[in-house]
Every structure is written in structure tokens, then in C-alpha cells.
Amino acid sequence: MPNPLPLVIVDAANVVGSVPDGWWRDRRGAAERLRDSLVSYASDGLPGTPGPVELVLVVEGRARDVASVPGVRVEAAPGSGDDLIAELAAGAAASRPCVVVTADRELRGRVEAHGARCAGPRTVRPGV
């Protein structure tokens, strides 16, 4: 049986919020733009995590109805996005490499406790 792909989980609210570009006026649109910019990472991977990877974008609030696209599965958090991210990381980290993209310190601590590695928003938004 082949090894499962590494899992990359992107904290949409945190990554979108890392750049003050007016995202608050259109949270759904900002999440969709982020989703679309992530597609190439599914095949190419991230620094330290070569592709292909399974890429999951966790959305919450007004961005909850953003749809998945080929290469990026979108998971809508029924409540806290951080709780869903921690749950996904806990389920994956024991059986395959898991990277969570966020700058949220509390969330980083939670997912690292399950064995996930963390990367900052610039990993998927270079030049910002």
C-alpha cells in the first residue's frame, strides 16, 4: 500500500488576515482568491514538504460556503476554525506528515502537540 500524501492544512482566516488588503470587505472573495492561489502547492508542495500533498483549506464564518476546487479541498468549520484544524491535524499527524499553515501561536501549540509541523502565512503568500 502506498504511503498517504502529506497533509497541508491552511488556516484561511489567519492567512487571509495576514495582509491588510481590504479582505474584511469581502471575506468570501478573499478566501476564494486564497484557495485559487493554493492550487499549485497541491502538486509542488511546500518548502520542506515536497509535493504532491493533500491540501485542505479550513474556512469559517462568512467564508463558510467557499467550494472546493481540484487540488484544494475546502472544509467549512461548523464553529471555530482552530478547533477543526486541531482535529484534522490530530487525526493525520500520527499516520503521515502534517503541516499547518498559520501564524496563530495558540493554534500552533495545539497542532504541534499532535506532531504536526507549522509554517507561517508567507509560505503560501510569498512576497507579502
Side-chain angles (χ1 to χ4, degrees):
M1 182 164 94
N3 291 337
L5 295 177
L7 177 64
V8 174
I9 305 167
V10 179
D11 179 353
N14 186 268
V15 173
V16 164
S18 69
V19 178
D21 61 0
W23 59 263
W24 52 90
R25 290 188 291 269
D26 180 12
R27 294 169 195 259
R28 179 182 175 176
E32 287 172 337
R33 287 187 298 278
L34 174 60
R35 176 203 60 201
D36 295 347
S37 75
L38 295 173
V39 170
S40 66
Y41 292 101
S43 59
D44 299 345
L46 301 174
T49 306
V53 300
E54 179 183 357
L55 208 146
V56 177
L57 178 66
V58 174
V59 296
E60 61 188 345
R62 292 188 205 149
R64 211 176 260 131
D65 56 352
V66 170
S68 296
V69 296
V72 181
R73 185 176 90 230
V74 178
E75 290 282 338
S80 162
D82 290 1
D83 289 346
L84 178 56
I85 292 166
E87 180 183 317
L88 292 170
S95 62
R96 60 181 168 157
C98 180
V99 178
V100 174
V101 179
T102 187
D104 182 314
R105 279 193 191 146
E106 182 181 329
L107 178 58
R108 289 172 80 97
R110 289 173 68 185
V111 300
E112 287 172 346
H114 293 295
R117 184 171 67 83
C118 291
R122 286 190 176 144
T123 305
V124 295
R125 292 189 84 174
V128 245

